[in-house]
Amino acid sequence: MNTKLTLLLSAGLLMASAGYAQQSNPDTGKNKPTVVAKEDLRDDWAALSHYARENKQIGDPKPGENRVVFLGSSIFERWKTTVPEFFKDRPYLDRGVSGQISGQLLIRFRQDVIDLKPKAVIILAGSNDIASNYGHLTNEYIMNNIRSMVELAKLHHIKVILCAYLPVFDYPWRKGIEPAGKIMALNKLIKAYAAENNLILLDYFTPLVDERNGQKPELTTDGVHPNAAGYRIMATVTEQAIAKALK
C-alpha cells in the first residue's frame, strides 16, 4: 500500500471516529433512552399509598356532614364495587384494602381515619389474621390492635363502631384451617370489649350465618365475601349502627 493511500485511509478513520464520538457524547442528550425510575414501595407495608391521593382530594368534612369511615380489608373494599349505590350521595368513605391484617389497619389509622376527620369509624378487623395471611397471629394480637385503634379514635373524638366479623367456614386460599370457631372466639372478645368500653357493636355475623357457622350460600360469592344480596343485609344493620352512634 503506498503512502498516499495510507494517509487517506487514516484520515477517513479519524473522521469516522470523531463523528461517532460526537453522536455518543453524553453531554449532548441525544439518542439517550428515557428511563423512568419505578417507585420503591417496599417500605409501604400497610399500603398507605392506596388512598393517599384520594384523601388529599376529599378535604375536610362540610359543615354538618356526618362523615363515617369504613376501615377494613376486602369485605369493605369489594362493597363499593359490588353495591356502589350504598356509598353514593352518603358521607361514607370506604377505606378497605384487600388482604390486610389488623396491624396494617392500625398503621393506616392516622392517614385513612384521623386525618379525614370523621364523626365515626367502623372497624372490621381479624379475618385475614385468622387466615394466617402473614403467619400465625393470635386473637390477642388482633385485640391489641383493635384496642389501639379505639384509643386513637377516642383521643380524636371519633365515635367507634366495632364489628363482629362475618362467618367463614373455610377460606378458599387457606383450606383446612377451620376458621369458624376462631372467628366466633374473636367475636366473643370483640363483643365483651365493646360492652366494657361503651362502644357500638355492629353484628355482621348473626344475619349471615348458616348452620355450619359459615356464610349462607345464597349471600356469598366464595364463602368469605358477600354478594350483592349479602351486602344489602349488611347495609341494613350498618345504617342502624351508624344512627345509634351519631344520635
Side-chain angles (χ1 to χ4, degrees), residues 67-70 113 118-122 158-161 245-246:
R67 179 174 289 180
V68 180
V69 173
F70 289 58
V113 180
K119 289 287 182 67
V121 59
I122 301 174
I158 301 169
K159 298 284 187 180
V160 177
I161 301 170
L246 299 180

Side-chain angles (χ1 to χ4, degrees), residues 34-171:
T34 301
V35 178
V36 178
K38 186 176 181 181
E39 187 176 2
D40 188 350
L41 295 175
R42 286 176 297 175
D43 60 336
D44 191 15
W45 178 69
L48 291 168
S49 58
H50 198 76
Y51 290 108
R53 181 179 299 178
E54 188 176 335
N55 288 348
K56 288 180 180 178
Q57 294 171 345
I58 287 170
D60 291 344
K62 298 180 178 68
E65 178 183 336
N66 289 324
R67 179 174 289 180
V68 180
V69 173
F70 289 58
L71 184 71
S73 54
S74 58
I75 301 295
F76 279 169
E77 186 164 33
R78 291 188 183 197
W79 193 341
K80 62 188 173 186
T81 55
T82 305
V83 190
E85 60 268 26
F86 177 71
F87 293 92
K88 187 178 180 181
D89 300 325
R90 287 185 173 95
Y92 299 163
L93 300 180
D94 187 314
R95 290 297 177 268
V97 176
S98 295
Q100 289 208 329
I101 61 174
S102 58
Q104 292 170 304
L105 304 186
L106 176 57
I107 292 173
R108 289 199 293 120
F109 202 83
R110 178 167 298 279
Q111 174 189 283
D112 290 346
V113 180
I114 295 170
D115 290 350
L116 297 174
K117 301 178 182 178
K119 289 287 182 67
V121 59
I122 301 174
I123 301 172
L124 179 63
S127 179
N128 288 317
D129 304 61
I130 289 172
S132 302
N133 283 11
Y134 286 91
H136 303 289
L137 305 175
T138 65
N139 280 351
E140 184 61 20
Y141 169 90
I142 299 167
M143 288 306 302
N144 282 340
N145 289 323
I146 288 174
R147 292 182 189 105
S148 294
M149 287 186 274
V150 170
E151 290 167 7
L152 284 168
K154 286 186 172 182
L155 185 64
H156 291 272
H157 311 289
I158 301 169
K159 298 284 187 180
V160 177
I161 301 170
L162 282 187
C163 300
Y165 215 93
L166 291 69
V168 177
F169 180 75
D170 204 6
Y171 293 105

Side-chain angles (χ1 to χ4, degrees), residues 7-19:
L7 289 172
L8 286 172
L9 288 172
S10 298
L13 288 171
L14 285 170
M15 290 175 66
S17 298

Side-chain angles (χ1 to χ4, degrees), residues 203-216:
D203 184 1
Y204 286 142
F205 185 90
T206 301
L208 301 178
V209 70
D210 67 5
E211 68 280 356
R212 304 183 307 163
N213 292 317
Q215 281 180 54
K216 295 175 182 176

